[in-house]
Amino acid sequence: MMAPVLRVDGSAADPCMGSVRVDWPKALWNTGMLIGTILAVAVANWQSILLFIVLTYASLLIGHSVGMHRMMIHRSFKAPLWLARSLIYVGTLVGVSGPSGIIRIHDTRDWAQRQRACHDFFAHRCSLLVDLFWNLFCRFEFVHAPRITIEPDIAEDPFYRFLDTTWRLHQLPIALLLYWAGGWPFVLWGICARVFVSSTGHWTITYFCHTSQRDLAKGRWLVKDAGIQAANIPGFGLITYGECWHNNHHAFPESARIGLDEGQADPGWWIINGLAKCGLAYDIGAPRAAASRSDLVERAES
């Protein structure tokens, strides 16, 4: 079993105290992508839409779910450095943030949700439109923030530090290539629509899989003392790369496989398993043994 990843020191932090503020760089970036998406609809053709579907699915699956989420954040498997950097680079091209930024976003939210109580910003108790606005255009400003320490192999790696400071600019060479291949329809669908839908799609999974007070919250596992529980959303495994099995993931974040039960499609795991068969993924994490599950309560699926 792989060692748990412990980056957050919340001993002096309060997950309830703080306020939601407009994050202007984030807001301008996502507004620009939204405007580009609206323009994309006006110039749409079947080639640009097909390009959008392929690039969006592939970058989220390979870069975000496999590279950033399962490998970089949760350390649920390892890969050779060249491959790890490639996966994280594709994850950067998704257009949400650089490597360290993704870790901070994820770990802050995960820490807050595992407390007995947290602010609505992390709990997703507000309406869909309010929560969408908060997540695409705002940040949470703590009164007492948790301290996050990112591992040196990420924080001190020159390539990852370069991505952290330039992550938005990496859309430009892709845009030039797409313009050469198909003009403005390819640019608008391959960059703007892809980035905006990727950001919105990332939020959608977050919203619907972390709403324990709603009827959608189904799952086998209850995490003790966590104010916000996670849901499995049946039927969406393929379209969410396996990330919709979020009840499993909250229970076993160390597992490279998220779709743990029969019938739970998990394309992210299929990629990792394929890499392992090629000798390109190793130290693959699995759910911890029953004797180490004192933090969990098993319950019947509703």
Side-chain angles (χ1 to χ4, degrees):
M1 184 182 73
M2 301 184 72
V5 180
L6 301 174
R7 300 188 187 95
V8 184
D9 178 4
S11 57
D14 190 320
C16 297
M17 293 183 64
S19 56
V20 180
R21 305 287 188 187
V22 174
D23 184 331
W24 286 108
K26 179 180 179 180
L28 291 172
W29 173 253
N30 285 326
T31 297
M33 294 301 118
L34 173 58
I35 292 171
T37 302
I38 295 171
L39 294 174
V41 175
V43 297
N45 54 48
W46 73 265
Q47 295 97 330
S48 59
I49 294 175
L50 179 61
L51 173 81
F52 158 77
I53 293 171
V54 171
L55 289 183
T56 303
Y57 193 90
S59 60
L60 282 169
L61 169 61
I62 297 170
H64 187 81
S65 181
V66 173
M68 284 187 155
H69 189 207
R70 306 192 202 201
M71 181 189 70
M72 181 183 71
I73 292 174
H74 290 290
R75 305 289 174 131
S76 66
F77 75 96
K78 295 179 181 178
L81 182 59
W82 67 267
L83 178 57
R85 285 178 167 174
S86 298
L87 292 172
I88 291 174
Y89 182 71
V90 175
T92 300
L93 291 177
V94 168
V96 175
S97 187
S100 295
I102 289 291
I103 290 175
R104 292 182 183 280
I105 292 168
H106 176 281
D107 283 15
T108 301
R109 186 176 303 278
D110 185 70
W111 166 80
Q113 290 171 346
R114 290 176 184 269
Q115 307 309 302
R116 291 183 181 273
C118 66
H119 192 278
D120 287 351
F121 183 86
F122 304 109
H124 306 290
R125 295 188 188 97
C126 295
S127 69
L128 186 145
L129 289 178
V130 169
D131 205 78
L132 176 62
F133 176 78
W134 279 0
N135 278 269
L136 290 187
F137 303 104
C138 302
R139 71 180 188 278
F140 187 76
E141 195 170 285
F142 286 96
V143 174
H144 303 290
R147 185 175 64 193
I148 298 176
T149 303
I150 300 174
E151 298 88 335
D153 66 316
I154 298 294
E156 298 176 9
D157 184 289
F159 180 66
Y160 298 144
R161 293 178 68 177
F162 171 68
L163 293 182
D164 281 330
T165 58
T166 63
W167 62 271
R168 292 183 179 91
L169 299 178
H170 292 274
Q171 303 299 331
L172 293 176
I174 307 299
L176 291 174
L177 180 62
L178 292 176
Y179 183 80
W180 172 81
W184 284 111
F186 271 34
V187 173
L188 293 172
W189 280 97
I191 301 294
C192 298
R194 174 182 57 80
V195 170
F196 184 75
V197 169
S198 294
S199 299
T200 306
H202 179 268
W203 162 81
T204 301
I205 296 174
T206 299
Y207 184 79
F208 285 108
C209 287
H210 292 107
T211 49
S212 60
Q213 70 276 21
R214 295 191 174 98
D215 291 338
L216 284 171
K218 300 177 181 179
R220 179 179 171 186
W221 304 100
L222 182 72
V223 180
K224 292 180 182 178
D225 299 326
I228 300 300
Q229 300 294 327
N232 286 337
I233 309 298
F236 288 88
L238 288 176
I239 199 172
T240 66
Y241 331 104
E243 298 286 343
C244 69
W245 312 117
H246 227 64
N247 179 263
N248 301 348
H249 178 59
H250 267 225
F252 305 107
E254 71 277 6
S255 177
R257 183 175 184 176
I258 299 179
L260 297 174
D261 298 323
E262 185 177 356
Q264 294 182 342
D266 188 353
W269 166 247
W270 301 340
I271 296 291
I272 296 168
N273 193 39
L275 291 173
K277 290 179 179 179
C278 297
L280 295 174
Y282 54 96
D283 288 354
I284 297 174
R288 59 195 180 277
S292 300
R293 297 178 184 177
S294 60
D295 60 323
L296 299 178
V297 174
E298 189 171 4
R299 61 187 181 182
E301 289 266 14
S302 56

